[in-house]
Amino acid sequence: MAFREFSPTQPVILGFDPGRDKCGLAVMGLDRQLYYHQVVLAKEAIATIETLRQKFPISLMVMGDQTTAKQWRQRLYQELTEPLSIILVDERYTTLEARDRYWQMFPPKGLIKLLPQGLRQPPRPIDDIVAILLIERYLNRLTESALSSQEL
């Protein structure tokens, strides 16, 4: 995945969808501008995160809260060269959402277009898109709490 032009004045959020075999990573600005997304092997995740931290002013990590979250959180605290704030986000239904988002980001071509969307399977892992959705869920939560505090 190519890096987008980046203005380092704005902090960004790292989305992390941890898994046993593969992990999804995404980097998004607070303005919801997507700068990076990729699926990496689990054994390469820490090194990839370190590389991303050198390229982007990552302010925090948003991580899915399901199956492997506890082990990954502990591993990240132990193995990252500098500590990173980690916020767990509810990741229920993100795989289904990510499948729909995949087809929005990469519209189907040829005969695949004729299949109903519910029957289409993305041709590659979509863990990176799950990581994007985790960041968006976190940002939505921030926006909702800011709006509700204004109503008081």
Side-chain angles (χ1 to χ4, degrees):
M1 145 103 216
F3 292 100
R4 288 220 175 134
E5 274 305 307
F6 183 71
S7 161
T9 55
Q10 182 193 20
V12 296
I13 298 171
L14 174 65
F16 183 52
D17 178 36
R20 285 185 178 80
D21 302 318
K22 59 188 173 9
C23 300
L25 292 165
V27 176
M28 183 182 286
L30 299 176
D31 59 357
R32 297 177 187 249
Q33 176 75 42
L34 182 63
Y35 294 103
Y36 171 90
H37 62 100
Q38 186 174 5
V39 178
V40 298
L41 294 174
K43 64 184 179 193
E44 297 169 3
I46 302 272
T48 304
I49 290 168
E50 294 285 17
T51 301
L52 290 172
R53 289 179 81 184
Q54 291 168 13
K55 289 182 168 58
F56 300 104
I58 293 170
S59 57
L60 68 105
M61 176 188 287
V62 174
M63 182 169 83
D65 65 354
Q66 297 295 309
T67 324
T68 59
K70 274 187 185 158
Q71 299 94 313
W72 269 106
R73 190 176 196 173
Q74 187 173 3
R75 196 172 153 198
L76 290 164
Y77 281 130
Q78 291 170 347
E79 296 182 34
L80 287 175
T81 52
E82 288 181 41
L84 183 61
S85 296
I86 299 172
I87 294 174
L88 295 180
V89 175
D90 181 5
E91 69 173 297
R92 284 176 292 182
Y93 311 114
T94 50
T95 303
L96 291 171
E97 274 183 58
R99 194 178 302 159
D100 290 342
R101 179 66 66 86
Y102 175 87
W103 294 115
Q104 289 170 14
M105 292 170 72
F106 307 100
K109 294 175 174 59
L111 293 175
I112 295 173
K113 272 201 301 202
L114 302 176
L115 282 175
Q117 189 160 323
L119 295 177
R120 291 184 209 141
Q121 287 296 323
R124 65 164 184 84
I126 54 174
D127 307 68
D128 57 332
I129 298 173
V130 170
I132 293 167
L133 294 171
L134 292 172
I135 297 171
E136 289 175 352
R137 284 186 178 190
Y138 171 73
L139 291 173
N140 289 343
R141 214 169 61 195
L142 285 183
T143 308
E144 287 163 12
S145 61
L147 289 174
S148 63
S149 67
Q150 286 177 352
E151 293 168 4
L152 297 176

